[in-house]
Each structure stands twice: as structure tokens, then as C-alpha cells.
């Protein structure tokens, strides 16, 4: 099964798709469906006659790889607006993975052969991009098969596969296919095995291997505590869209998912590792997939310097705020703590962010930063199930392969759902005045909303979007967008923009130093919460 990471949660280093669609490894299968939204942009979004010749040529090569993915992962096709995939689901058995690997290998050989004959330098570059990505995916898959016991969150997996059909922007005639998918996930349709049984078998196949590494205990407990939100979210969406015939198969599926979670708790959780650190080879592969080509030691050194410099900027801005507002303390920590006290609640959040977007759009126009489309940006509040899946503000891109008018959405979660017996942990990082400046600039305009719409409307080769896509590339634009707007924000907005940049710098040295054992989790919490002023939930 294929690994992915989530997309664009306000620019955290790990946050593209996804997260972007990766194809190697036996971990986090459920996020495959989230990552499908980055399957491609352009090429297929443009009319063929309007494409440059090199893009058309490159796309013909890329389509060979994409066709393999959609054949084995129909949910990804649905995410891209391709209705012919709606009546199917993946059956991610070992045999299916072997078949996909063989088909990918056959395409890879064709790409390598084409590299030697193509003359256009742009096409050659795209071929190199695809060859490099497929090779990296193979290395990830080989490592996972040899060394790892996966944790598959079946409830999240199922919710993702159904959510793409029950979205408000999905054409109404496609939504009934969600009922068929429920039956397929439950193994009630001919030719389909219950997804929980497939995931159990895949896990057992890995457990049987000597010396395998189990997933982290914290990951399992955190994810499974939120699973009730997914099941409730499916039922809520079925009712919302007035679908029929889903109650009985969903009840069967719900019991299967409940039994599966109990099996995970009995079989995987007792052997889960309390040490969160990854083997060096896995960590190196992860960095490479995220687009980081700097050695961990050098990355940490650069980040420490950046952290100090950003703190210096924050001190300067904080002093200005304290002077203007006649505050007793000019320490940036005290000022951020004070700014967070006025939290937006419930129905007040969405209109506030909508107004903030209008303010930013006026800045963009007045300062001639970038051209804006005439259509409005879409912002909405997340459901409880969506919040469980992605508990931070994020951009959900539109489908690109077959777009019938759908647009990207800036989604605002309200809170982090707590599972039974868990203490409620509340974010205070997003829903206050000063935070809305940088979050809106990053996720909406001029950030990811314009980024993805521009890719859709203007076109770029599938290879560059699909196979060069990683956190570094996608989030680079989000961070640059914050940089463009920051000088025109009020001082309070500038301070929070710097705070989130400080967070990124902290992550860039804490992550490798946690891996190496140079710092402890307790020290990481101290840096992020006491120096970075982030909530414990975040």
C-alpha cells in the first residue's frame, strides 16, 4: 500500500496534501484518498489544442503512470471528478500491490527508453522527474515491506472514500454511488472482500516477518480515539443528501470497523513502540519525499539561526504593539497570550474570515501584488468528521482531471474532537483576530486557492504537478504569500505571522534533533509551547 501525507495545514513542513500522493510503503493507506486531490493539475484541465506541444507530449507519458494508479485506486479517480470510477473501490491486497508494482515497472522502462530519444529539454526534464519519483516510491515500498508493521485506520480510510462522493460540489447524480461503496467496503457486493479483512491480512503478513518495526503507540491511540466521528460523519452526509438504502449496509460496516479497532487494540497496540523515532533509513526516505534535500544536521543548524532571527523580529514588533496599546509587558509571549484571549466562537468564525479575506483582497489590488479572479473564494466550516481528519485550517483543492466547475475550498475546523475517555484538547491558535491575517493569506488568497486555480486554468505539465509535488514545493508558495501580505498587516497580524514562521523554524530543528535523541519530547513541548506560544493540542 502507498504512503501519503496530508495537505496544506497552514504551511507546516509535513503538510502537503496533503498532502501529496506517494506510492511507496505500507503506512497510512487511508490518506491515499486525501492525496488524490493532487493527482494532477493542468494538462488534462486544459483543452488539448491550447496546450504547448511539449506539455501534450509530456502528459502522454505521465498518463501511463496515472492510468495505473487509477486502475488500482478508483477512489483517486472519483476525487478527480471521473465518474467512471465511482462504482469501484480499491482492494489493496498484496496481490494487487504486486500487480501495480509490475505495471509501474513496465511504464518506468518505457520512460527510461523515451529519455534517450526525446529531444525537447522540458520533456526530458519531466521524464527525469517521473523516473526519480517512481524510483523513490519503489525504495519506500521495499523498505516498508521488509521492515514495518503498518497501522491502517480503517474508519478514516472508509470515510475518505465516501466523502469524495458526498461533497457539496459533487454533482448530485454521482452521490448514490456512495451507497454502493458502503456495500463494497463491507464486502456485501460480489467480487469484494470486506476492507477490514484485507487490512487485517496485510497487517498479519507484516507481523509474520522477523525483526519488523511496529507503529508508534501515540499514533494509534490518537487516531483511533477519533474514529466515532468518521462513522457518524458518514451517516450525517447520507442523510444530508437524502440517499436511501444505506442504513443496513452501513450498520454492517460499522460493526466491522468496531471489530477491526478491537483487533488492532488486541494485536498491534500491545507491541506498538513507545519510542517515536524512526530508523535512519526511513527518516531519510521521509525527508526525501517531503522535498528536503538538506542533511538533517545542516537543516537543524540553519533552523536554529532562523529561529533566533525570527524571535528578534518578534521582539521588535511586540515592543511597538506594547507602546501603541500601552501594555504593561512588551514580551511577545505576553502579547500573543493576550491576543488569544478573544477567541471567535461558533457561527462568528466564518463571517469573520470572510471579512478578513475582503481586507486582504483590497490590499492585493491596491498594492498590485497579483491579479485576482472575479469569482469569490470559497470558505466554509468543517464538519466534525472532517475536523477529526484534518484539525487545522487547510485548503481542499478542486478536482483537476475532470472539473465541472468545482473550486478549491478554504476549510476552517472548529475544534479537535476528543475520543471516549480522552481529555478535550482545544486549539486556540486559529480562531482569533490576529491569526486570521496570515492563515487567510496562506490558504486562500494569494496563497493556495490562487495557486491551485492558476494551475487548473493556465496549465502545467502533469509530471511537474503530479510527480514533482511535495511539501517543499507547494508550501513554498503558501509561505511566500504570507511574506507578500505581511508588510500590510496590522502589527498584531505581523506578530502572529512571525509566530507561525517561528513554529516552522522550530520544527525544522526539533524534528531531526528528536530523531537523533539530541532533544527530548519534553524539551520540544517547551520550545513549541513556551517559546512558540502554540497550544498543546497543536
Amino acid at each position: 500500500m502507498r504512503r501519503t501525507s496530508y495537505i496544506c495545514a497552514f504551511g507546516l513542513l509535513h503538510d502537503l496534501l496533503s498532502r501529496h500522493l506517494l506510492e511507496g510503503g505500507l503506512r497510512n493507506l487511508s490518506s491515499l484518498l486525501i492525496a488524490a486531490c493532487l493527482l494532477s493539475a493542468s494538462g488534462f484541465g486544459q483543452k488539448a489544442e491550447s496546450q504547448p506541444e511539449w506539455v501534450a507530449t509530456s502528459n502522454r507519458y505521465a498518463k501511463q503512470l496515472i492510468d495505473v494508479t487509477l486502475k488500482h485506486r478508483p477512489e483517486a479517480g472519483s476525487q478527480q471528478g471521473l465518474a467512471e470510477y465511482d462504482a469501484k473501490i480499491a482492494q489493496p491486497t498484496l496481490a494487487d500491490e504486486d500487480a501495480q508494482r509490475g505495471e509501474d515497472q513496465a511504464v518506468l522502462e518505457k520512460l527510461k527508453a523515451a529519455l534517450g530519444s526525446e529531444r525537447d529539454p522540458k520533456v526530458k526534464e519531466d521524464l527525469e522527474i517521473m523516473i526519480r519519483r517512481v524510483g523513490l516510491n519503489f525504495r519506500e515500498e521495499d523498505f516498508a515491506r521488509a521492515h514495518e508493521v503498518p497501522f491502517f485506520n480503517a474508519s478514516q480510510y472508509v470515510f475518505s472514500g465516501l466523502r469524495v462522493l458526498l461533497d457539496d460540489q459533487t454533482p448530485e447524480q454521482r452521490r448514490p454511488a456512495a451507497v454502493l461503496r458502503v456495500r463494497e467496503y463491507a464486502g456485501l457486493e460480489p467480487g469484494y472482500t470486506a476492507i477490514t479483512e484485507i487490512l487485517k491480512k496485510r497487517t498479519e503478513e507484516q507481523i509474520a516477518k522477523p525483526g519488523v518495526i511496529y507503529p508508534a503507540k501515540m499514533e494509534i491511540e490518537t487516531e483511533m480515539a477519533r474514529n466515532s466521528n468518521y462513522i457518524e460523519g458518514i451517516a450525517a452526509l447520507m442523510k444530508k443528501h437524502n440517499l436511501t438504502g444505506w442504513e443496513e449496509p452501513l450498520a454492517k460496516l460499522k460493526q466491522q470497523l468496531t471489530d477491526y479497532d478491537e483487533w488492532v487494540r488486541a494485536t498491534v497496540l500491545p507491541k506498538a513502540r513507545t519510542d517515536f523515532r524512526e530508523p535512519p533509513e526511513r527518516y531519510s526516505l521521509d525527508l526525501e519525499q517531503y522535498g528536503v534535500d538538506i542533511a538533517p544536521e545542516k537543516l537543524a543548524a540553519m533552523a536554529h539561526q532562523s529561529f533566533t532571527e525570527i524571535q528578534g523580529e518578534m521582539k521588535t514588533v511586540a515592543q511597538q504593539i506594547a507602546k501603541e496599546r500601552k501594555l504593561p509587558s512588551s514580551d511577545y509571549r505576553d502579547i500573543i497570550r493576550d491576543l488569544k484571549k478573544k477567541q471567535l466562537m461558533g457561527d462568528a468564525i466564518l463571517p469573520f474570515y470572510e471579512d478578513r479575506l475582503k481586507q486582504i483582497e483590497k490590499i492585493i489590488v491596491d498594492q498590485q501584488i497579483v491579479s485576482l479572479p472575479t469569482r469569490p473564494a470559497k470558505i466554509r466550516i468543517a464538519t466534525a468528521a472532517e475536523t477529526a481528519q484534518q484539525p487545522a485550517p487547510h485548503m481542499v483543492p478542486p478536482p483537476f482531471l475532470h472539473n465541472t466547475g468545482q473550486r478549491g475550498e478554504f476549510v476552517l475546523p472548529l475544534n479537535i474532537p476528543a475520543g471516549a475517555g480522552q481529555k478535550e484538547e482545544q486549539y486556540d491558535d486559529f480562531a482569533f483576530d490576529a491569526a486570521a491575517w496570515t492563515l487567510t493569506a496562506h490558504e486562500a488568497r494569494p496563497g493556495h486557492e490562487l495557486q491551485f486555480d492558476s494551475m487548473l486554468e493556465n496549465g502545467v505539465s502533469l509530471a511537474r504537478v503530479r510527480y514533482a509535488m511535495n511539501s517543499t514545493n507547494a508550501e513554498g508558495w503558501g509561505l511566500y504569500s504570507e511574506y507578500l501580505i505581511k508588510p500590510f498587516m496590522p502589527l498584531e497580524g505581523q506578530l502572529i505571522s512571525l509566530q507561525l514562521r517561528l513554529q516552522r523554524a522550530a520544527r525544522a530543528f526539533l524534528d531531526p534533533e528528536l530523531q537523533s535523541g539530541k532533544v527530548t519530547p519534553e524539551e520540544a513541548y517547551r520550545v513549541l509551547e513556551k517559546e512558540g506560544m502554540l497550544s498543546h493540542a497543536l
Side-chain angles (χ1 to χ4, degrees), residues 293 334 448:
D293 58 5
D334 293 330
H448 291 313

Side-chain angles (χ1 to χ4, degrees), residues 3 5 25 36 38 77 146 170 194 200 234 252 258 260 294 321 338 406 408 425 436-437 444 453 468 470 478:
R3 295 186 68 243
S5 57
L38 293 178
T170 299
K200 281 182 188 179
I234 293 169
K252 176 71 172 179
T258 300
Y260 174 82
I294 303 171
I321 294 173
D338 185 64
Q406 298 92 337
E425 289 187 349
W437 285 100
D453 278 359
N470 56 43

Side-chain angles (χ1 to χ4, degrees), residues 45-74:
Q46 283 183 295
K47 293 182 179 179
E49 59 267 23
S50 67
Q51 295 174 354
E53 180 58 32
W54 78 267
V55 170
T57 300
S58 174
N59 286 355
R60 285 194 290 271
Y61 290 121
K63 187 177 183 298
Q64 297 178 62
L65 283 175
I66 291 171
D67 284 347
V68 175
T69 297
L70 300 188
K71 174 183 175 181
H72 294 273
R73 303 291 178 261

Side-chain angles (χ1 to χ4, degrees), residues 132-161:
R132 184 166 56 248
R133 171 52 67 85
V134 173
L136 175 57
N137 292 343
F138 284 174
R139 286 190 283 128
E140 279 231 322
E141 186 173 84
D142 290 342
F143 181 88
R145 279 201 183 189
H147 301 291
E148 296 179 337
V149 172
F151 165 53
F152 299 130
N153 191 342
S155 295
Q156 185 187 47
Y157 178 89
V158 167
F159 175 76
S160 297

